[in-house]
Amino acid sequence: MLRTSWKGLLGHKFRFVATALAVTLGVAFMAGTLVLTDTIRSTFDNLFADVYQGTDAVIRGKASFEGPPGAGVQRGRIDAAVVDTVRRVDGVAAAEGDVSGYARLVGKDGQALGNPATGAPTIGMSWTENRALNTFTLVSGTAPGRDDEVVIDRKSARDGDLEVGDTTTVVVGRPMRVRIAGIARFGKADSPGGATIVAFPRQAAQRLIGEPGKYDSVSVLAAGGVSETELVRRLSAVLPPGTEALTGAAITAETQSEMAKAFRFFNTFMLIFAVIALLVGGFMIFNTFSITVAQRTRENGLLRALGASRRQVLGSVLLEALAVGVLAALLGIAAGFAVALGLKGLLAGVGLDIPTGSVVFTSTTAIISFTVGVGITVLAALSPARKAAKVPPVAAMQEGATGSTGYGSRQRMVVGAAVLGLGLAALLIGLFRDVEQPVVIVGAGALLVFFGVSILGRTISLPLSRVLGAPLPRLRGVTGALARENAMRNPKRTAASASALMIGVGVVGLITIFVSSTKASMDAAVDRAFTGDIVVDSGGGMFGGVDPGLAARLRALPEVDTAAGLRQGVAQVAGSAVMVQATDPRAAVELMKVGPVAGSPADLGRDAIGLHEDVAARKGLRLGDPVPVAFKDSGTRSLRLALIYGENRQAGNYLLGTEAYEANFATRMDSKVLVKRAAGTSPEAALAAVKQVGQAYPGAKVLDRAQFKAEQTKPLNQLLALVYALLGLAILIALLGIANTLALSIVERTRELGLLRAVGMTRSQLRSTIRWESVVIAVQGTVLGLLIGLFFGWALVTALADEGITVFRVPYASLAVVVVLAALAGMVAAVPPSRRAAKLDVLRAVVTE
């Protein structure tokens, strides 16, 4: 039996290679993702180990609270006097205070470098004079000596075409002219994680990007013979309350852990697409082995008649699957290196430039990829193998392979309906009920829905093929009629081929509908909540912005009626770490619709806060209630609930007045400036006047209402492009499955094709028949995928109504393009098998058994 299985593999090399290719692509994607994430983690681990090598201890403020996702732990600054205290401790060789904040460098061409809103941060910091404590190393120039001198990272110097001695602009809330005194590297990297770095002299950094008389941390160098642990013990004894000391090893490990945590989402995101690709490959494997087992019914019957047991027949098929899986997994692991580089380039193309060092390939990656590849292959072949084992010896006397016609057994229909119902129930429970781990429940429900539709595929396929193929006889004559009949003849095979494509298209449809609905919801919210005409977006991302002087300058323009800055910051409100918004209370009336439910925006004074009605209801708060709010700069305050409002698109869920914001936040920058034009001023004149003032702030964008909407949805377009590119692999595997199915069906129909050629069908007509059969299969998988994607999209949008996704929009044009592309791809997939069919020798084909 082993020899028989081996010779069967060697005798069908095309089938073997085509089946292995599907698994290879899926495993390569998984291995590439793991290699890339391991490489990134190793790069940052080594990088931070190098940069903190000379630091024996770090002093910082104790954690006030854990910020929302992306904000990190919030800590207050420490008094500069702490440095003098630390320097007097026995065992301290040197100590220097560190400052960090927002600064955005401008290149020689006048364009601001980096994009803190969507990419790596733009950081301002103090230059550390002690070389042992400095995480940067000068590669050219000198340290900054005057307040208007800076050192920049080498990547930014290259990107901005800047050299030592050049004069440029740095935006630190306000724009200021600086001279490039030096260019430095971060350890062995040109920049830390692609960030843009501008280093000022220490006192200038405190004044420009930090807080006078304050440091964010203090780096300490131990004297000879004093260990890091002993140094921290001595420092802790003299530090004031609210501060803490960590060893250099501890801060290194903590930073490495934070970076690993930051990339955990990326790793999960990429692995999801690897699983989708492997799942699609699994359908192809199942379909391939199902067809080959049906085609070998007579052969297996003969083996049974010669004495082979059911177990031996089962083992022979599984051995083939094991061989396919092993070869595919090994090839996939080898290809993972190239995929890792491709994924890095793909992410860089959408603005996520991730630094990498030398490629890291771990045994864990090899074991996971190999196990998954082999496991998927064997599991997919298990059902066909069991059917092969059930072939009776009498099958050796049958004329040929039997097809699979009709709607399928009642048992299949019941099982399929049960799986589909269970999947829908899990999906709806996860979306609309308050349960633990809803993501897991929704994911399991979605998977069950796909499996349920696949099990029912044979039942659905026959009528669907009949409907989709109905125009073919009129459009293509006899070739169209034959293509339609061939798709209908074996609905099980057609459904299995279509199911693989259904998964990829289903996810594409879901993402497309979700993005379209999110865009429509954002546009509707801007129309509903923003009553101004122009928005100046600072481009500073979550923690940057422009100084309030811009809003004041705009208010002075005759073309402007009013202008108000919109600020943001991190706070802990009633136990929840959140982003809070702040603005002039009058702007909440003149430039934003907040929809007061109780109270008035005018009441947002120094000791007041406003909450969205959903937040107030969830926390059981009423107008006038005290609300505990923790700020990293001012500590915990009790603010009065002065406003409950219903519109949160511009104001967010937590709103402060400018007076309260300035009382509790040391950094005061406007992330946006909202502008309303003066009566009698045309939109064009007002926009031109605001742009004239805004030119002084590089990186800031002056947008009218339409441009503001487009700018808000730009990240969604980038996400959509990335998802399409990643799902392209799954769809490619599905199309390979269609090509493989057609190629195998040609073997099964060799005599039939020979007869058609013998009675006058031309080679061109035969190729056309097979191509249109492929189109029917591809469109069937696409239609089923779009229907599933439509349902999933509706469920997701409905579930996110409380998050602001209030408009369900189906992008009919985009989905129509998907159907057309699927039909064209089906034609392309059919080219190799159709050519092979057209080359059949007529006489040999007619006498084939």
Side-chain angles (χ1 to χ4, degrees), residues 133-478:
L133 294 174
N134 198 337
T135 56
F136 284 84
T137 304
L138 283 170
V139 294
S140 62
T142 62
R146 302 198 312 263
D147 287 359
D148 61 349
E149 289 185 338
V150 297
V151 170
I152 63 174
D153 63 282
R154 190 154 76 169
K155 177 181 181 297
S156 297
R158 184 172 61 248
D159 293 346
D161 192 23
L162 296 170
E163 298 177 352
V164 172
D166 287 348
T167 300
T168 188
T169 298
V170 174
V171 179
V172 284
R174 64 179 177 85
M176 64 175 291
R177 298 294 289 176
V178 296
R179 174 183 172 274
I180 307 298
I183 296 173
R185 298 187 73 190
F186 183 73
K188 296 179 181 178
D190 286 345
S191 94
T196 298
I197 302 296
V198 181
F200 298 87
R202 182 170 291 103
Q203 290 185 349
Q206 287 176 310
R207 187 179 70 258
L208 295 171
I209 60 174
E211 192 175 353
K214 300 278 188 178
Y215 289 122
D216 291 287
S217 62
V218 178
S219 300
V220 184
L221 181 67
V226 179
S227 68
E228 290 186 355
T229 304
E230 175 60 22
L231 178 64
V232 166
R233 188 188 68 79
R234 296 179 185 181
L235 291 171
S236 300
V238 300
L239 290 178
T243 57
E244 62 182 5
L246 287 79
T247 64
I251 196 68
T252 300
E254 182 181 288
T255 308
Q256 292 170 338
S257 176
E258 288 175 355
M259 290 303 303
K261 196 181 298 182
F263 282 103
R264 192 170 298 158
F265 171 78
F266 162 77
N267 190 27
T268 303
F269 178 78
M270 299 299 291
L271 285 177
I272 287 173
F273 291 95
V275 170
I276 291 173
L278 285 168
L279 187 61
V280 172
F283 273 98
M284 177 178 172
I285 296 163
F286 171 80
N287 199 28
T288 299
F289 277 95
S290 295
I291 294 172
T292 57
V293 164
Q295 291 175 350
R296 290 186 293 174
T297 299
R298 190 174 184 183
E299 175 187 329
N300 289 330
L302 183 59
L303 289 173
R304 294 279 285 114
L306 292 175
S309 66
R310 288 188 173 185
R311 180 176 298 178
Q312 286 177 310
V313 175
L314 174 71
S316 69
V317 178
L318 291 180
L319 183 62
E320 290 185 33
L322 181 63
V324 170
V326 169
L327 176 66
L330 292 176
L331 291 175
I333 292 171
F337 291 95
V339 172
L341 296 176
L343 289 175
K344 183 179 182 299
L346 177 64
L347 293 171
V350 295
L352 299 175
D353 193 5
I354 300 174
T356 55
S358 57
V359 175
V360 175
F361 182 78
T362 65
S363 58
T364 303
T365 295
I367 292 171
I368 292 175
S369 301
F370 184 83
T371 302
V372 170
V374 174
I376 286 285
T377 308
V378 173
L379 284 174
L382 187 58
S383 178
R386 293 180 61 191
K387 290 181 180 178
K390 293 179 181 178
V391 173
V394 71
M397 296 182 290
Q398 292 179 354
E399 180 66 22
T402 58
S404 176
T405 60
Y407 290 94
S409 66
R410 181 173 298 177
Q411 181 182 2
R412 173 182 289 272
M413 294 183 190
V414 171
V415 172
V419 173
L420 180 61
L422 187 62
L424 291 174
L427 188 71
L428 295 175
I429 289 173
L431 288 173
F432 301 108
R433 298 291 297 273
D434 186 12
V435 294
E436 293 184 5
Q437 297 184 325
V439 175
V440 175
I441 296 175
V442 169
L447 197 61
L448 287 173
V449 167
F450 276 121
F451 278 121
V453 174
S454 299
I455 295 171
L456 292 172
R458 177 175 171 180
T459 304
I460 301 170
S461 179
L462 187 58
L464 197 55
S465 296
R466 181 179 288 113
V467 172
L468 295 176
L472 292 182
R474 292 190 297 274
L475 294 175
R476 305 298 301 174
V478 65

